Amino acid sequence: MTETPKITISHGSGGKLTHELIKTLFLEQFNAPQLAPLNDSAIIDINGQKLAFTTDSYVVNPLFFPGGDIGKLAICGTVNDLSVMGAKPLFISCGYIIEEGLEYDALARITRSAAEAAQQAGAAIVTGDTKVVEHGKGDGIFINTSGVGICEYELPGKIETSDKVLVSGPIGDHEVAILVARGGLDFQVEIKSDCAPLWDLISKILSVSNKIKFMRDPTRGGLATVLNELVENKEYGIQIEEASIPISEKVNGVCSLLGFDPLYLANEGKVVVVVSSNDAMKVLDAMKGHALGDGAALIGEVVAEPAGLVAMKTKVGGRRVVDMLVGTQLPRIC
Amino acid sequence: MTETPKITISHGSGGKLTHELIKTLFLEQFNAPQLAPLNDSAIIDINGQKLAFTTDSYVVNPLFFPGGDIGKLAICGTVNDLSVMGAKPLFISCGYIIEEGLEYDALARITRSAAEAAQQAGAAIVTGDTKVVEHGKGDGIFINTSGVGICEYELPGKIETSDKVLVSGPIGDHEVAILVARGGLDFQVEIKSDCAPLWDLISKILSVSNKIKFMRDPTRGGLATVLNELVENKEYGIQIEEASIPISEKVNGVCSLLGFDPLYLANEGKVVVVVSSNDAMKVLDAMKGHALGDGAALIGEVVAEPAGLVAMKTKVGGRRVVDMLVGTQLPRIC
């Protein structure tokens, strides 16, 4: 007797199972050309005006954490999904699914955070919806935000070997902050989520170089997943250097203690950039000159071989393949 | 000792408490001019191109019901919110929040329904998101859809006394279908949800008259809530005639048995139209000539007195005020 297949937590991890679900079910059924590239936003054309349109639901647990809360996160995440497509975030929708019994004060704090984040990003929350489910049928609050932006730059471009890979700062802060906020650890460490709206940094990057090939914010699944998505079924690979990847001592320490691989940790205020070799230093300097990019680094490059894979030169001089995440390190981090 | 105020099921009913929450918290914080009119979609202007933008989360229970499922509902609801603003639905986003353990087959059926409904409505699902929460932290699946449409007609217009109020067909089918699908009733009755995408009907209405003042699909809170929203703080009122309001015998029967007022029942494939008196019959004929409007009726008119209220002439010749719903008749019907 075979059991009926069921959806598991790992289907929501952003890793291998999420991708399978997207490819075998969603792309098959929602058969739109705008969906197929699987970018962070769809590019839609309305009477010749190119817009970016994106959606994300936020189910982070706990609702409040050092550096932010679900309201701020829901705005920043969607603002960033527009921004990495070269689109200036303009209009945001906000849909609440509230579990009966949520304290009004918590809802008010979350709403204020969302409003502040939108203002900071220069976007307006123009439409919303509120649903309430019975106690035990939800978990405090889930928030969906969708966003519409105007395409100011054309992305992504054609990636070529020798293109450089940059990241705007130390990785892993968001996921480790969530982990610590859940409590139950044997040690104490203060880490803030990096949750921030990136349009200002990204528009600066795009203004100094017209050779930006690709940008993405490494959220669920982290840096490793973004890079794997980039090389999948491609005639090129990516090689990164472990020693060049910025990670704070605190995040490194937590990872060592708990056996997490920082390459898979979620970030909510970082961007991975692939840029033509000639412009790499100019872009790196622009990033370093911005408050949200002062820890930026060049971490690797696009290579011809091995194609379709992400390889990493380790600190001790070895080489390993950085694969896509199969399970989940930590569920509900965004 | 006073208890901390908490969110209740009634805050999600679409009635009085939902409106209070919107006014005291959301409008206060999300301080955007596009949000303030509280229409079914925000009208946004991008380089002179007027677009409608809307969002809704769907938490209906059960997921499958006669006449539809949560996938079809999630598309129709958002398509209709764009349509009633005179906007042709173009692009839809689809965000799933899945409870761990949902059967893959259920997810596939729901996804197929959503895809079919979008195709029927002439809209494309172009962007999506999948989150999974632990068993017991959700309820099968919640779906958020947001939509972008292009404004083909300008709505709403200035409402005046003697304008007529029309509804496109019998009310209450959706909510009663959900109620019956939940089971546990002592009697048997077969009622299908009216769940349908309305753009085709609405574009027909808008093509025969340029004196349409207002349209809305009477979902949560039903006909009574839509009419109350229309007259709130206005210098006019609305008078409707109970005998003119189309209701099927089955829905009437269930309402009598269970003590529900059909005026507050949710619909998912109906539209309420306010139109200049001169054009009322022309619009009514256009509705009756469409498969989704063949049960349309003229149910009342805009009156000078009593201002700010919805009054109903009852079948027995009396008059009563039709107030906004305070609690909830039935939670999670959409």
Side-chain angles (χ1 to χ4, degrees):
Chain A
M1 210 175 80
T2 57
E3 226 186 304
T4 326
K6 290 191 164 70
I7 301 300
T8 66
I9 284 286
S10 294
H11 282 100
S13 68
K16 225 165 199 162
L17 286 175
T18 310
H19 282 79
E20 272 177 31
L21 201 59
I22 291 171
K23 278 173 199 161
T24 58
L25 184 58
F26 303 149
L27 279 184
E28 190 84 10
Q29 292 297 328
F30 303 155
N31 183 24
Q34 296 91 345
L35 186 65
L38 294 180
N39 284 318
D40 275 359
S41 302
I43 302 301
I44 59 179
D45 187 310
I46 299 183
N47 287 343
Q49 176 74 69
K50 277 198 178 166
L51 303 176
F53 180 34
T54 189
T55 194
D56 256 322
S57 297
Y58 298 84
V59 298
V60 67
N61 168 26
L63 301 176
F64 299 91
F65 47 83
D69 60 40
I70 191 171
K72 180 182 180 186
L73 183 66
I75 300 300
C76 292
T78 286
V79 158
N80 294 347
D81 281 350
L82 295 171
S83 301
V84 294
M85 297 300 290
K88 180 180 165 64
L90 295 179
F91 301 108
I92 310 274
S93 70
C94 192
Y96 285 171
I97 300 176
I98 304 172
E99 183 192 13
E100 183 185 21
L102 178 72
E103 289 189 3
Y104 179 87
D105 285 351
L107 184 68
R109 272 176 70 193
I110 289 165
T111 301
R112 276 195 299 272
S113 291
E116 278 168 25
Q119 195 175 26
Q120 199 191 336
I125 297 168
V126 294
T127 185
D129 175 54
T130 308
K131 294 291 190 306
V132 182
V133 297
E134 304 89 337
H135 182 67
K137 300 290 181 183
D139 196 14
I141 186 169
F142 302 143
I143 302 181
N144 176 285
T145 51
S146 299
V148 175
I150 187 162
C151 294
E152 299 205 339
Y153 302 90
E154 196 141 330
L155 278 169
K158 190 171 160 43
I159 291 175
E160 294 160 311
T161 52
S162 92
D163 284 350
K164 302 300 181 203
V165 180
L166 315 178
V167 63
S168 64
I171 60 171
D173 293 17
H174 175 72
E175 188 155 340
V176 174
I178 296 296
L179 176 72
V180 172
R182 284 193 193 156
L185 297 181
D186 288 341
F187 51 90
Q188 287 208 327
V189 54
E190 278 181 26
I191 296 180
K192 271 191 181 177
S193 165
D194 58 344
C195 184
L198 290 171
W199 174 246
D200 196 59
L201 170 64
I202 285 176
S203 59
K204 190 177 170 196
I205 292 171
L206 289 165
S207 72
V208 300
S209 169
N210 59 4
K211 289 176 180 155
I212 303 294
K213 307 295 187 77
F214 170 90
M215 288 191 292
R216 188 161 290 176
D217 53 332
T219 57
R220 274 189 296 182
L223 181 62
T225 301
V226 166
L227 298 182
N228 268 284
E229 287 171 350
L230 204 50
V231 299
E232 196 184 16
N233 299 322
K234 293 291 177 359
E235 70 283 12
Y236 51 78
I238 285 177
Q239 178 162 295
I240 54 176
E241 299 223 17
E242 189 176 18
S244 310
I245 300 170
I247 307 178
S248 75
E249 271 183 45
K250 285 178 182 175
V251 168
N252 236 339
V254 173
C255 284
S256 304
L257 281 168
L258 299 179
F260 283 119
D261 184 338
L263 293 178
Y264 297 92
L265 293 179
N267 310 275
E268 293 291 344
K270 296 296 180 304
V271 58
V272 176
V273 177
V274 179
V275 56
S276 172
S277 181
N278 293 336
D279 278 11
M281 294 320 292
K282 193 160 66 174
V283 169
L284 187 61
D285 285 346
M287 285 162 112
K288 286 186 167 171
H290 192 283
L292 293 176
D294 57 0
L298 194 163
I299 61 166
E301 64 178 348
V302 179
V303 292
E305 294 290 339
L309 289 180
V310 178
M312 182 165 78
K313 273 206 227 168
T314 64
K315 284 179 184 165
V316 294
R319 241 178 95 134
R320 73 170 174 97
V321 169
V322 178
D323 213 341
M324 198 170 270
L325 194 62
V326 178
T328 307
Q329 292 202 124
L330 199 68
R332 297 182 58 190
I333 38 85
C334 62
Chain B
M1 210 175 81
T2 57
E3 225 185 305
T4 326
K6 290 192 165 68
I7 301 300
T8 67
I9 283 287
S10 294
H11 283 100
S13 69
K16 225 164 200 163
L17 286 175
T18 310
H19 282 78
E20 272 178 31
L21 201 57
I22 291 170
K23 280 173 198 162
T24 58
L25 184 58
F26 303 148
L27 279 183
E28 189 83 12
Q29 293 296 328
F30 304 154
N31 183 25
Q34 297 91 342
L35 186 65
L38 293 180
N39 284 317
D40 275 359
S41 302
I43 302 301
I44 58 180
D45 187 311
I46 299 184
N47 287 344
Q49 177 73 70
K50 276 197 177 167
L51 303 177
F53 180 33
T54 188
T55 194
D56 255 322
S57 297
Y58 297 85
V59 299
V60 67
N61 167 29
L63 300 178
F64 299 91
F65 47 83
D69 59 38
I70 191 171
K72 180 181 180 186
L73 184 67
I75 300 299
C76 292
T78 287
V79 159
N80 295 348
D81 281 350
L82 296 171
S83 301
V84 295
M85 296 301 290
K88 180 179 166 61
L90 296 179
F91 302 108
I92 310 273
S93 70
C94 193
Y96 286 171
I97 300 175
I98 304 173
E99 183 192 12
E100 182 185 21
L102 178 71
E103 289 189 1
Y104 179 86
D105 285 351
L107 184 67
R109 275 176 69 192
I110 289 165
T111 302
R112 277 195 298 273
S113 290
E116 278 167 26
Q119 195 174 27
Q120 199 191 336
I125 297 169
V126 294
T127 185
D129 175 54
T130 308
K131 294 290 191 306
V132 181
V133 297
E134 304 90 336
H135 182 66
K137 300 292 183 184
D139 196 13
I141 185 170
F142 302 142
I143 302 181
N144 176 285
T145 51
S146 300
V148 175
I150 186 162
C151 294
E152 298 205 338
Y153 301 90
E154 194 141 332
L155 277 168
K158 188 170 162 44
I159 291 174
E160 294 160 312
T161 54
S162 92
D163 284 350
K164 301 301 180 201
V165 181
L166 314 179
V167 64
S168 64
I171 60 171
D173 293 18
H174 175 72
E175 185 154 342
V176 174
I178 296 296
L179 177 71
V180 173
R182 285 193 192 157
L185 298 182
D186 288 341
F187 51 89
Q188 286 209 326
V189 55
E190 278 181 23
I191 296 180
K192 271 191 182 175
S193 165
D194 58 344
C195 184
L198 290 171
W199 174 245
D200 196 59
L201 170 64
I202 285 175
S203 59
K204 191 175 168 196
I205 292 170
L206 290 165
S207 71
V208 300
S209 169
N210 60 6
K211 289 175 180 158
I212 304 292
K213 307 296 186 74
F214 171 88
M215 289 191 292
R216 186 162 293 175
D217 54 331
T219 56
R220 274 189 297 183
L223 181 61
T225 301
V226 167
L227 298 182
N228 268 284
E229 287 172 351
L230 205 49
V231 300
E232 196 183 15
N233 300 323
K234 293 292 176 358
E235 70 283 12
Y236 50 78
I238 285 177
Q239 178 161 296
I240 54 176
E241 298 223 17
E242 188 176 20
S244 309
I245 299 170
I247 308 178
S248 76
E249 273 184 43
K250 285 177 182 174
V251 168
N252 235 339
V254 172
C255 284
S256 303
L257 282 167
L258 299 179
F260 282 120
D261 185 338
L263 293 178
Y264 296 93
L265 293 179
N267 309 273
E268 293 291 344
K270 297 296 180 303
V271 58
V272 177
V273 177
V274 179
V275 56
S276 171
S277 180
N278 294 336
D279 278 10
M281 295 319 291
K282 194 162 65 175
V283 169
L284 187 61
D285 286 345
M287 286 163 113
K288 285 185 169 171
H290 192 284
L292 293 176
D294 58 359
L298 193 163
I299 61 167
E301 64 179 349
V302 179
V303 292
E305 294 289 337
L309 290 179
V310 178
M312 181 165 78
K313 272 206 227 170
T314 65
K315 282 177 184 165
V316 296
R319 242 179 94 133
R320 72 170 174 96
V321 169
V322 177
D323 213 342
M324 199 169 269
L325 194 61
V326 178
T328 307
Q329 291 201 125
L330 201 65
R332 296 183 56 190
I333 39 83
C334 63

